[in-house]
PDB file of all heavy atoms in Angstrom:
ATOM      1  N   ILE A  26      47.026 143.222  56.056  1.00  0.00           N
ATOM      2  CA  ILE A  26      46.314 142.947  57.296  1.00  0.00           C
ATOM      3  C   ILE A  26      45.698 144.274  57.819  1.00  0.00           C
ATOM      4  O   ILE A  26      46.340 145.304  57.816  1.00  0.00           O
ATOM      5  CB  ILE A  26      47.316 142.370  58.377  1.00  0.00           C
ATOM      6  CG1 ILE A  26      47.850 141.072  57.850  1.00  0.00           C
ATOM      7  CG2 ILE A  26      46.638 142.225  59.713  1.00  0.00           C
ATOM      8  CD1 ILE A  26      48.973 140.508  58.681  1.00  0.00           C
ATOM      9  N   GLN A  27      44.393 144.185  58.222  1.00  0.00           N
ATOM     10  CA  GLN A  27      43.735 145.393  58.701  1.00  0.00           C
ATOM     11  C   GLN A  27      43.174 145.176  60.058  1.00  0.00           C
ATOM     12  O   GLN A  27      43.240 144.105  60.652  1.00  0.00           O
ATOM     13  CB  GLN A  27      42.643 145.763  57.624  1.00  0.00           C
ATOM     14  CG  GLN A  27      43.134 145.995  56.237  1.00  0.00           C
ATOM     15  CD  GLN A  27      42.006 146.353  55.304  1.00  0.00           C
ATOM     16  OE1 GLN A  27      41.068 147.062  55.627  1.00  0.00           O
ATOM     17  NE2 GLN A  27      42.193 145.868  54.055  1.00  0.00           N
ATOM     18  N   GLY A  28      42.554 146.222  60.624  1.00  0.00           N
ATOM     19  CA  GLY A  28      41.921 146.144  61.916  1.00  0.00           C
ATOM     20  C   GLY A  28      42.946 146.494  63.017  1.00  0.00           C
ATOM     21  O   GLY A  28      43.933 147.241  62.777  1.00  0.00           O
ATOM     22  N   THR A  29      42.796 145.970  64.251  1.00  0.00           N
ATOM     23  CA  THR A  29      43.583 146.285  65.342  1.00  0.00           C
ATOM     24  C   THR A  29      43.993 144.969  66.024  1.00  0.00           C
ATOM     25  O   THR A  29      43.410 144.537  67.004  1.00  0.00           O
ATOM     26  CB  THR A  29      42.802 147.145  66.401  1.00  0.00           C
ATOM     27  OG1 THR A  29      42.280 148.326  65.709  1.00  0.00           O
ATOM     28  CG2 THR A  29      43.714 147.630  67.561  1.00  0.00           C
ATOM     29  N   PRO A  30      45.067 144.365  65.534  1.00  0.00           N
ATOM     30  CA  PRO A  30      45.575 143.132  66.199  1.00  0.00           C
ATOM     31  C   PRO A  30      46.079 143.462  67.593  1.00  0.00           C
ATOM     32  O   PRO A  30      46.431 144.576  67.913  1.00  0.00           O
ATOM     33  CB  PRO A  30      46.638 142.660  65.251  1.00  0.00           C
ATOM     34  CG  PRO A  30      47.125 143.878  64.524  1.00  0.00           C
ATOM     35  CD  PRO A  30      45.918 144.723  64.387  1.00  0.00           C
ATOM     36  N   GLY A  31      46.205 142.405  68.425  1.00  0.00           N
ATOM     37  CA  GLY A  31      46.646 142.638  69.799  1.00  0.00           C
ATOM     38  C   GLY A  31      47.418 141.463  70.316  1.00  0.00           C
ATOM     39  O   GLY A  31      47.389 140.377  69.805  1.00  0.00           O
ATOM     40  N   PHE A  32      48.141 141.727  71.407  1.00  0.00           N
ATOM     41  CA  PHE A  32      49.003 140.755  71.999  1.00  0.00           C
ATOM     42  C   PHE A  32      48.255 139.616  72.688  1.00  0.00           C
ATOM     43  O   PHE A  32      48.732 138.471  72.735  1.00  0.00           O
ATOM     44  CB  PHE A  32      49.931 141.422  72.940  1.00  0.00           C
ATOM     45  CG  PHE A  32      51.166 141.957  72.331  1.00  0.00           C
ATOM     46  CD1 PHE A  32      51.243 143.273  71.913  1.00  0.00           C
ATOM     47  CD2 PHE A  32      52.284 141.143  72.088  1.00  0.00           C
ATOM     48  CE1 PHE A  32      52.351 143.776  71.309  1.00  0.00           C
ATOM     49  CE2 PHE A  32      53.430 141.616  71.495  1.00  0.00           C
ATOM     50  CZ  PHE A  32      53.498 142.951  71.101  1.00  0.00           C
ATOM     51  N   ILE A  33      47.132 139.895  73.265  1.00  0.00           N
ATOM     52  CA  ILE A  33      46.428 138.824  74.000  1.00  0.00           C
ATOM     53  C   ILE A  33      46.108 137.684  73.102  1.00  0.00           C
ATOM     54  O   ILE A  33      46.372 136.538  73.439  1.00  0.00           O
ATOM     55  CB  ILE A  33      45.083 139.427  74.650  1.00  0.00           C
ATOM     56  CG1 ILE A  33      45.467 140.369  75.804  1.00  0.00           C
ATOM     57  CG2 ILE A  33      44.251 138.308  75.212  1.00  0.00           C
ATOM     58  CD1 ILE A  33      44.278 141.024  76.513  1.00  0.00           C
ATOM     59  N   SER A  34      45.483 138.027  71.995  1.00  0.00           N
ATOM     60  CA  SER A  34      45.194 136.935  70.990  1.00  0.00           C
ATOM     61  C   SER A  34      46.387 136.270  70.452  1.00  0.00           C
ATOM     62  O   SER A  34      46.477 135.064  70.288  1.00  0.00           O
ATOM     63  CB  SER A  34      44.226 137.483  69.876  1.00  0.00           C
ATOM     64  OG  SER A  34      44.939 138.553  69.235  1.00  0.00           O
ATOM     65  N   ILE A  35      47.420 137.061  70.121  1.00  0.00           N
ATOM     66  CA  ILE A  35      48.629 136.472  69.482  1.00  0.00           C
ATOM     67  C   ILE A  35      49.381 135.561  70.476  1.00  0.00           C
ATOM     68  O   ILE A  35      49.740 134.460  70.109  1.00  0.00           O
ATOM     69  CB  ILE A  35      49.567 137.620  69.018  1.00  0.00           C
ATOM     70  CG1 ILE A  35      48.898 138.379  67.825  1.00  0.00           C
ATOM     71  CG2 ILE A  35      50.880 137.062  68.587  1.00  0.00           C
ATOM     72  CD1 ILE A  35      49.680 139.583  67.396  1.00  0.00           C
ATOM     73  N   PHE A  36      49.544 136.038  71.713  1.00  0.00           N
ATOM     74  CA  PHE A  36      50.385 135.258  72.612  1.00  0.00           C
ATOM     75  C   PHE A  36      49.632 134.163  73.383  1.00  0.00           C
ATOM     76  O   PHE A  36      50.286 133.273  73.921  1.00  0.00           O
ATOM     77  CB  PHE A  36      51.084 136.237  73.516  1.00  0.00           C
ATOM     78  CG  PHE A  36      52.262 136.895  72.892  1.00  0.00           C
ATOM     79  CD1 PHE A  36      52.079 138.131  72.315  1.00  0.00           C
ATOM     80  CD2 PHE A  36      53.481 136.229  72.794  1.00  0.00           C
ATOM     81  CE1 PHE A  36      53.179 138.765  71.645  1.00  0.00           C
ATOM     82  CE2 PHE A  36      54.516 136.867  72.154  1.00  0.00           C
ATOM     83  CZ  PHE A  36      54.378 138.106  71.601  1.00  0.00           C
ATOM     84  N   GLN A  37      48.325 134.190  73.301  1.00  0.00           N
ATOM     85  CA  GLN A  37      47.622 133.030  73.801  1.00  0.00           C
ATOM     86  C   GLN A  37      47.866 131.830  72.861  1.00  0.00           C
ATOM     87  O   GLN A  37      48.007 130.702  73.291  1.00  0.00           O
ATOM     88  CB  GLN A  37      46.114 133.304  73.889  1.00  0.00           C
ATOM     89  CG  GLN A  37      45.696 134.156  75.060  1.00  0.00           C
ATOM     90  CD  GLN A  37      44.230 134.411  75.064  1.00  0.00           C
ATOM     91  OE1 GLN A  37      43.535 134.388  74.067  1.00  0.00           O
ATOM     92  NE2 GLN A  37      43.692 134.713  76.296  1.00  0.00           N
ATOM     93  N   LEU A  38      47.991 132.132  71.605  1.00  0.00           N
ATOM     94  CA  LEU A  38      48.205 131.106  70.596  1.00  0.00           C
ATOM     95  C   LEU A  38      49.732 130.792  70.455  1.00  0.00           C
ATOM     96  O   LEU A  38      50.090 129.634  70.203  1.00  0.00           O
ATOM     97  CB  LEU A  38      47.671 131.542  69.255  1.00  0.00           C
ATOM     98  CG  LEU A  38      46.136 131.756  69.202  1.00  0.00           C
ATOM     99  CD1 LEU A  38      45.728 132.313  67.892  1.00  0.00           C
ATOM    100  CD2 LEU A  38      45.404 130.399  69.427  1.00  0.00           C
ATOM    101  N   LEU A  39      50.585 131.835  70.601  1.00  0.00           N
ATOM    102  CA  LEU A  39      52.012 131.678  70.304  1.00  0.00           C
ATOM    103  C   LEU A  39      52.832 132.195  71.479  1.00  0.00           C
ATOM    104  O   LEU A  39      53.460 133.209  71.380  1.00  0.00           O
ATOM    105  CB  LEU A  39      52.398 132.415  69.012  1.00  0.00           C
ATOM    106  CG  LEU A  39      51.566 132.018  67.758  1.00  0.00           C
ATOM    107  CD1 LEU A  39      51.888 132.953  66.606  1.00  0.00           C
ATOM    108  CD2 LEU A  39      51.887 130.619  67.367  1.00  0.00           C
ATOM    109  N   PRO A  40      52.888 131.514  72.580  1.00  0.00           N
ATOM    110  CA  PRO A  40      53.517 132.010  73.820  1.00  0.00           C
ATOM    111  C   PRO A  40      55.038 132.122  73.695  1.00  0.00           C
ATOM    112  O   PRO A  40      55.647 132.831  74.509  1.00  0.00           O
ATOM    113  CB  PRO A  40      53.143 131.023  74.868  1.00  0.00           C
ATOM    114  CG  PRO A  40      52.902 129.695  74.106  1.00  0.00           C
ATOM    115  CD  PRO A  40      52.275 130.176  72.827  1.00  0.00           C
ATOM    116  N   ASN A  41      55.632 131.510  72.721  1.00  0.00           N
ATOM    117  CA  ASN A  41      57.129 131.509  72.586  1.00  0.00           C
ATOM    118  C   ASN A  41      57.635 132.403  71.469  1.00  0.00           C
ATOM    119  O   ASN A  41      58.774 132.364  71.070  1.00  0.00           O
ATOM    120  CB  ASN A  41      57.709 130.093  72.336  1.00  0.00           C
ATOM    121  CG  ASN A  41      57.393 129.169  73.529  1.00  0.00           C
ATOM    122  OD1 ASN A  41      57.757 129.509  74.647  1.00  0.00           O
ATOM    123  ND2 ASN A  41      56.759 128.060  73.266  1.00  0.00           N
ATOM    124  N   LEU A  42      56.708 133.284  71.019  1.00  0.00           N
ATOM    125  CA  LEU A  42      57.056 134.174  69.880  1.00  0.00           C
ATOM    126  C   LEU A  42      58.154 135.188  70.256  1.00  0.00           C
ATOM    127  O   LEU A  42      58.044 135.847  71.347  1.00  0.00           O
ATOM    128  CB  LEU A  42      55.821 134.947  69.422  1.00  0.00           C
ATOM    129  CG  LEU A  42      55.863 135.596  68.070  1.00  0.00           C
ATOM    130  CD1 LEU A  42      55.995 134.583  66.940  1.00  0.00           C
ATOM    131  CD2 LEU A  42      54.582 136.445  67.813  1.00  0.00           C
ATOM    132  N   SER A  43      59.164 135.236  69.515  1.00  0.00           N
ATOM    133  CA  SER A  43      60.290 136.216  69.827  1.00  0.00           C
ATOM    134  C   SER A  43      60.358 137.327  68.803  1.00  0.00           C
ATOM    135  O   SER A  43      60.940 138.395  69.137  1.00  0.00           O
ATOM    136  CB  SER A  43      61.640 135.497  69.877  1.00  0.00           C
ATOM    137  OG  SER A  43      61.976 134.941  68.631  1.00  0.00           O
ATOM    138  N   THR A  44      59.857 137.182  67.654  1.00  0.00           N
ATOM    139  CA  THR A  44      59.925 138.154  66.585  1.00  0.00           C
ATOM    140  C   THR A  44      58.575 138.299  65.924  1.00  0.00           C
ATOM    141  O   THR A  44      57.969 137.291  65.483  1.00  0.00           O
ATOM    142  CB  THR A  44      60.947 137.776  65.493  1.00  0.00           C
ATOM    143  OG1 THR A  44      62.230 137.600  66.095  1.00  0.00           O
ATOM    144  CG2 THR A  44      61.027 138.835  64.419  1.00  0.00           C
ATOM    145  N   LEU A  45      58.058 139.568  65.864  1.00  0.00           N
ATOM    146  CA  LEU A  45      56.807 139.839  65.172  1.00  0.00           C
ATOM    147  C   LEU A  45      56.952 141.004  64.260  1.00  0.00           C
ATOM    148  O   LEU A  45      57.313 142.110  64.647  1.00  0.00           O
ATOM    149  CB  LEU A  45      55.706 140.153  66.262  1.00  0.00           C
ATOM    150  CG  LEU A  45      54.335 140.533  65.715  1.00  0.00           C
ATOM    151  CD1 LEU A  45      53.748 139.420  64.863  1.00  0.00           C
ATOM    152  CD2 LEU A  45      53.394 140.870  66.848  1.00  0.00           C
ATOM    153  N   ASN A  46      56.691 140.778  62.964  1.00  0.00           N
ATOM    154  CA  ASN A  46      56.762 141.781  61.934  1.00  0.00           C
ATOM    155  C   ASN A  46      55.429 141.930  61.254  1.00  0.00           C
ATOM    156  O   ASN A  46      54.971 141.090  60.526  1.00  0.00           O
ATOM    157  CB  ASN A  46      57.812 141.369  60.906  1.00  0.00           C
ATOM    158  CG  ASN A  46      58.068 142.435  59.812  1.00  0.00           C
ATOM    159  OD1 ASN A  46      57.341 143.424  59.745  1.00  0.00           O
ATOM    160  ND2 ASN A  46      59.010 142.210  58.952  1.00  0.00           N
ATOM    161  N   LEU A  47      54.775 143.132  61.499  1.00  0.00           N
ATOM    162  CA  LEU A  47      53.530 143.465  60.829  1.00  0.00           C
ATOM    163  C   LEU A  47      53.683 144.715  59.964  1.00  0.00           C
ATOM    164  O   LEU A  47      52.697 145.407  59.690  1.00  0.00           O
ATOM    165  CB  LEU A  47      52.428 143.671  61.864  1.00  0.00           C
ATOM    166  CG  LEU A  47      51.941 142.479  62.671  1.00  0.00           C
ATOM    167  CD1 LEU A  47      51.049 142.841  63.777  1.00  0.00           C
ATOM    168  CD2 LEU A  47      51.279 141.451  61.739  1.00  0.00           C
ATOM    169  N   SER A  48      54.916 145.046  59.601  1.00  0.00           N
ATOM    170  CA  SER A  48      55.165 146.276  58.864  1.00  0.00           C
ATOM    171  C   SER A  48      54.420 146.371  57.542  1.00  0.00           C
ATOM    172  O   SER A  48      54.069 145.331  56.903  1.00  0.00           O
ATOM    173  CB  SER A  48      56.695 146.434  58.641  1.00  0.00           C
ATOM    174  OG  SER A  48      57.159 145.361  57.782  1.00  0.00           O
ATOM    175  N   ARG A  49      54.152 147.577  57.134  1.00  0.00           N
ATOM    176  CA  ARG A  49      53.517 147.863  55.856  1.00  0.00           C
ATOM    177  C   ARG A  49      52.186 147.159  55.705  1.00  0.00           C
ATOM    178  O   ARG A  49      51.820 146.718  54.595  1.00  0.00           O
ATOM    179  CB  ARG A  49      54.502 147.484  54.695  1.00  0.00           C
ATOM    180  CG  ARG A  49      55.815 148.228  54.763  1.00  0.00           C
ATOM    181  CD  ARG A  49      56.722 147.862  53.627  1.00  0.00           C
ATOM    182  NE  ARG A  49      56.981 146.426  53.577  1.00  0.00           N
ATOM    183  CZ  ARG A  49      57.858 145.830  54.433  1.00  0.00           C
ATOM    184  NH1 ARG A  49      58.563 146.497  55.321  1.00  0.00           N
ATOM    185  NH2 ARG A  49      58.069 144.528  54.317  1.00  0.00           N
ATOM    186  N   ASN A  50      51.389 147.153  56.722  1.00  0.00           N
ATOM    187  CA  ASN A  50      50.038 146.756  56.756  1.00  0.00           C
ATOM    188  C   ASN A  50      49.144 147.916  57.199  1.00  0.00           C
ATOM    189  O   ASN A  50      49.566 148.598  58.105  1.00  0.00           O
ATOM    190  CB  ASN A  50      49.788 145.537  57.659  1.00  0.00           C
ATOM    191  CG  ASN A  50      50.314 144.242  57.047  1.00  0.00           C
ATOM    192  OD1 ASN A  50      49.820 143.738  56.053  1.00  0.00           O
ATOM    193  ND2 ASN A  50      51.366 143.687  57.696  1.00  0.00           N
TER     194      ASN A  50
END
Side-chain angles (χ1 to χ4, degrees):
I26 297 171
Q27 302 181 35
T29 307
F32 273 95
I33 291 178
S34 57
I35 292 174
F36 282 95
Q37 281 179 340
L38 297 173
L39 303 171
N41 296 306
L42 197 66
S43 62
T44 303
L45 177 60
N46 181 355
L47 291 172
S48 63
R49 300 180 304 281
N50 285 294

